Amino acid sequence: MKNYTITVNGNVYDVTVEEAGAGHAPVPRPAAPAPAPRAAAPVPKPAAKPAGGAGSVEVKAGAAGKVFKIEASVGQSVKKGDAVIIIEAMKMEIPVVAPEDGTVASIDVAVGDAIESGAVLATLN
C-alpha cells in the first residue's frame, strides 16, 4: 500500500492506494481540511483622484492580481501599447499598457499591492 497526500480545491486528503494486483480499489480517507491561506486585506484607496499630477487618461488593470513591477515613472513619455505596469495574475506576468500616447501623470499603486480587475493603476496626460 502507498499513502499520498492530495490537495483538491484547498482541501487536503490523505489517500491510501493498494498496489496493482491486490484486487481492491483505492480507498480515499478525507483528512481535516487545511485552513485556507489568508489573503492580505486590501488597503483602501482614496475615492478621489490624487490632486495635482493626476491625468485625464486612466490606465486600468485588465485582470485581478498583484503589482509585480512598475515600468514607467511619473513624467515619462509613453506611446500607445507601451507597458506602464506589470501585474502578476495566475502565475503569469501581464503588462498593463498605455491606452494612448501621453505622459505619465501619476502612478497610483506600489509593487506588491493587490488589485482588482478594472482598477485604475496610473493616469496619463
Side-chain angles (χ1 to χ4, degrees), residues 33-87:
R38 285 192 196 186
V43 176
K45 298 283 182 191
K49 290 199 177 229
S56 59
V57 179
E58 296 178 334
V59 180
K60 295 183 178 183
K66 280 190 175 183
V67 176
F68 180 72
K69 186 176 182 184
I70 298 175
E71 292 282 320
S73 58
V74 174
Q76 179 179 339
S77 293
V78 291
K79 299 282 186 193
K80 180 178 182 176
D82 286 351
V84 176
I85 293 175
I86 307 290
I87 61 173

Side-chain angles (χ1 to χ4, degrees), residues 3-124:
N3 293 319
Y4 298 96
T5 301
I6 301 172
T7 304
V8 178
N9 293 332
N11 295 322
V12 178
Y13 299 95
D14 289 326
V15 180
T16 302
V17 179
E18 290 188 17
E19 294 182 25
H24 296 285
V27 180
R29 285 184 304 175
R38 285 192 196 186
V43 176
K45 298 283 182 191
K49 290 199 177 229
S56 59
V57 179
E58 296 178 334
V59 180
K60 295 183 178 183
K66 280 190 175 183
V67 176
F68 180 72
K69 186 176 182 184
I70 298 175
E71 292 282 320
S73 58
V74 174
Q76 179 179 339
S77 293
V78 291
K79 299 282 186 193
K80 180 178 182 176
D82 286 351
V84 176
I85 293 175
I86 307 290
I87 61 173
E88 182 181 31
M90 298 180 289
K91 297 186 180 183
M92 296 187 313
E93 293 176 18
I94 303 169
V96 179
V97 299
E100 58 186 64
D101 294 355
T103 302
V104 178
S106 69
I107 301 289
D108 301 326
V109 293
V111 173
D113 284 357
I115 55 165
E116 296 297 321
S117 180
V120 177
L121 307 178
T123 58
L124 306 177

